[in-house]
DNA sequence: CTTATTTGACCGAA
DNA sequence: TTCGGTCAAATAAG
């Protein structure tokens, strides 16, 4: 069990440092809000907590920890997140953990939950359609009263490593067997989430009711053309000219985060992205695909990319989807609102 | 071998 | 008691 531990820990720490840098920049940015600062601070704290958990877990898993090691294990002192107990093989540990979770009334926040519907088209496999960028581990299946199809229970595969508590339930629709209803609960706190967070997501602090992402046939004729822009009128010139650089570094960060072969390729392969400067005060970038997939193939990937760029740009960002949705999104720091959008 | 899934048992809530 | 969510041993997959 050697190789996730150190590299993941480093990733988490690097992630925390990146967010801290973002906060530093954000403190001097004209557009940044108090909310976005708090969000960044929360992310930094999360990164520390995650790192501490990983250290604790690692020390607990190491063969037979000496009593000295046990004593020196790092304490996580926040009441919201109980320290992980040691080996999962320790019979009572999970139950203890659950009871700690249950008994602490001041939870960080009630777990957000939302539902998404996916239509499976005959051509593509079910697994591919249900792929949302995260790795899930199935831990149960139940037949539900009155429902024709069983319900599958999944949790984030990073749970044991990073304590990510995100879960989802997948239920095939009775009325339309090509539709899968996916109920998500809890936001990801794992490394995978750093640039994929709003993928399925819901802007934080917003009531997470349900989101239906329209599934488009990934035919070439329906390819999305996404325009991303950053307002430059009130920003200094160096920022405007470095936006392209920010895009590039975003993808580089993703390479660190995702060891997946999909991501190993370079910037040009992820974004087919010729940039141009408009005559107005906004600099735009055109994006036709993301990670080599046409944007139309997945609404979540559009969100994925927008959030990656937004977090990198750390400034008000505009994005418009030209086809087939023809919506205009206004992005402001971490939070984005959909205007007249099928996403909401 | 390691790691993921399946599936009946188990348990708490209503 | 039933129902739905989770656990964990057995099994399958790689």
């Amino acid at each position: 069990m050697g190789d996730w531990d150190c590299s993941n820990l480093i990733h988490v720490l690097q992630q925390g440092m990146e967010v801290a840098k973002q906060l530093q920049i954000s403190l001097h940015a004209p557009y940044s809000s108090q909310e976005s600062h708090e969000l960044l601070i929360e992310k930094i704290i999360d990164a520390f907590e995650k790192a501490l958990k990983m250290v604790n877990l690692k020390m607990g898993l190491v063969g037979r920890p000496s009593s000295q090691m046990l004593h020196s294990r790092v304490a996580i002192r926040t009441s919201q997140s109980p320290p992980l107990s040691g080996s999962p093989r320790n019979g009572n540990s999970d139950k203890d953990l659950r009871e700690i979770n249950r008994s602490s009334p001041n939870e960080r926040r009630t777990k957000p939950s939302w539902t998404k519907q996916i239509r499976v088209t005959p051509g593509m496999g079910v697994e591919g359609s249900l792929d949302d960028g995260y790795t899930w581990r199935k831990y149960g299946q139940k037949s539900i009263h009155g429902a024709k199809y069983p319900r599958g229970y999944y949790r984030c595969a990073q749970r044991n490593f990073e304590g990510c508590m995100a879960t989802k339930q997948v239920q095939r629709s009775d009325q339309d067997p090509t539709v899968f209803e996916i109920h998500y609960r809890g936001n990801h706190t794992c490394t995978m989430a750093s640039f994929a967070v709003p993928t399925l997501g819901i802007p934080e602090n917003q009531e997470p009711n349900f989101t239906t992402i329209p599934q488009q046939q990934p035919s070439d004729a329906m390819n999305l053309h996404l325009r991303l822009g950053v307002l430059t009128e009130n920003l200094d010139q160096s920022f405007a000219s470095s936006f392209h650089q920010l895009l590039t570094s975003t993808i580089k960060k993703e390479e660190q985060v995702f060891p997946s072969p999909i991501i190993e390729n370079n910037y040009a392969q992820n974004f087919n992205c010729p940039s141009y400067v408009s005559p107005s005060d906004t600099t735009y970038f055109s994006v036709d695909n993301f990670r080599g997939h046409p944007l139309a193939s997945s609404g979540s990937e559009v969100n994925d990319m927008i959030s990656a760029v937004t977090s990198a740009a750390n400034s008000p960002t505009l994005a418009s989807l030209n086809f087939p949705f023809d919506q205009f999104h206004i992005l402001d720091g971490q939070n984005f609102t959909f205007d007249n959008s099928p996403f909401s």
Side-chain angles (χ1 to χ4, degrees):
Chain A
M1 47 189 72
D3 60 20
W4 56 266
D5 47 6
C6 204
S7 58
N8 273 0
L9 180 61
I10 289 171
H11 287 159
V12 169
L13 290 172
Q14 283 176 333
Q15 187 185 327
M17 188 161 75
E18 282 303 317
V19 180
K21 286 177 180 173
Q22 282 183 32
L23 176 62
Q24 188 180 36
I25 295 169
S26 178
L27 286 171
H28 300 101
Y31 283 101
S32 59
S33 64
Q34 178 73 23
E35 287 76 20
S36 68
H37 294 162
E38 282 167 4
L39 198 71
L40 291 172
I41 290 169
E42 195 173 309
K43 282 185 175 180
I44 294 168
I45 293 172
D46 280 346
F48 274 117
E49 286 181 353
K50 210 187 302 172
L52 287 171
K53 278 183 189 175
M54 292 166 77
V55 170
N56 277 341
L57 195 66
K58 169 70 176 171
M59 294 176 93
L61 285 171
V62 166
R64 199 181 304 127
S66 69
S67 59
Q68 193 177 8
M69 283 179 80
L70 284 174
H71 285 309
S72 64
R73 281 172 66 179
V74 188
I76 302 174
R77 297 192 301 169
T78 56
S79 59
Q80 297 95 339
S81 57
L84 287 186
S85 49
S87 160
R89 302 201 159 263
N90 174 358
N92 296 336
S93 61
D94 259 10
K95 194 174 278 183
D96 293 345
L97 187 63
R98 252 183 297 147
E99 281 174 10
I100 290 170
N101 271 325
R102 203 195 313 279
S103 62
S104 85
N106 51 345
E107 282 288 337
R108 171 170 307 212
R109 43 179 171 254
T110 50
K111 276 189 180 178
S113 68
W114 64 99
T115 300
K116 167 184 165 181
Q117 289 180 336
I118 293 268
R119 167 165 278 114
V120 176
T121 56
M124 45 214 252
V126 171
E127 283 72 22
S129 311
L130 297 180
D131 179 34
D132 50 26
Y134 294 101
T135 52
W136 300 93
R137 184 90 0 100
K138 189 171 186 176
Y139 67 89
Q141 176 168 300
K142 263 297 205 197
S143 49
I144 301 302
H145 93 288
K148 211 152 128 194
Y149 302 97
R151 177 178 300 170
Y153 298 87
Y154 300 80
R155 61 169 59 110
C156 179
Q158 306 305 311
R159 173 188 257 214
N160 291 332
F161 305 138
E162 303 182 40
C164 180
M165 299 301 283
T167 62
K168 73 171 179 181
Q169 299 177 0
V170 177
Q171 173 91 55
R172 192 169 201 158
S173 165
D174 280 346
Q175 294 81 11
D176 184 352
T178 68
V179 168
F180 287 77
E181 211 163 80
I182 308 176
H183 183 76
Y184 294 89
R185 186 185 296 177
N187 284 322
H188 284 267
T189 60
C190 57
T191 317
M192 297 286 288
S194 54
F195 293 100
V197 160
T199 293
L200 303 160
I202 44 161
E204 245 167 322
N205 307 329
Q206 217 149 322
E207 87 274 38
N209 289 340
F210 29 86
T211 303
T212 303
I213 294 183
Q215 291 301 296
Q216 302 291 336
Q217 309 283 338
S219 75
D220 289 340
M222 292 185 70
N223 266 359
L224 266 183
H225 183 79
L226 181 67
R227 250 172 120 220
L228 289 169
V230 59
L231 289 170
T232 53
E233 57 180 343
N234 291 323
L235 297 174
D236 62 29
Q237 292 300 320
S238 63
F239 178 81
S241 60
S242 66
F243 186 62
H244 189 276
Q245 187 71 34
L246 283 166
L247 281 175
T248 309
S249 64
T250 300
I251 299 309
K252 280 189 178 161
K253 285 177 201 160
E254 287 200 23
E255 284 174 18
Q256 293 172 7
V257 172
F258 302 100
S260 146
I262 307 171
I263 307 300
E264 65 163 65
N265 44 19
N266 61 19
Y267 162 76
Q269 285 168 300
N270 280 292
F271 288 86
N272 179 16
C273 180
S275 65
Y276 63 93
V277 179
S278 74
S280 75
D281 293 322
T282 304
T283 303
Y284 287 102
F285 300 86
S286 298
V287 184
D288 295 309
N289 64 64
F290 183 49
R291 297 177 188 166
H293 295 96
L295 293 179
S297 67
S298 163
S300 65
E301 284 197 339
V302 175
N303 276 355
D304 198 355
M305 191 196 60
I306 290 174
S307 66
V309 172
T310 304
S311 65
N314 194 30
S315 85
T317 309
L318 308 173
S320 61
L321 303 173
N322 291 345
F323 184 81
F325 297 147
D326 199 24
Q327 276 82 33
F328 192 62
H329 295 184
I330 299 175
L331 306 158
D332 174 15
Q334 298 292 327
N335 301 310
F336 47 93
T337 58
F338 296 123
D339 190 11
N340 210 10
S341 155
F343 289 79
S344 56

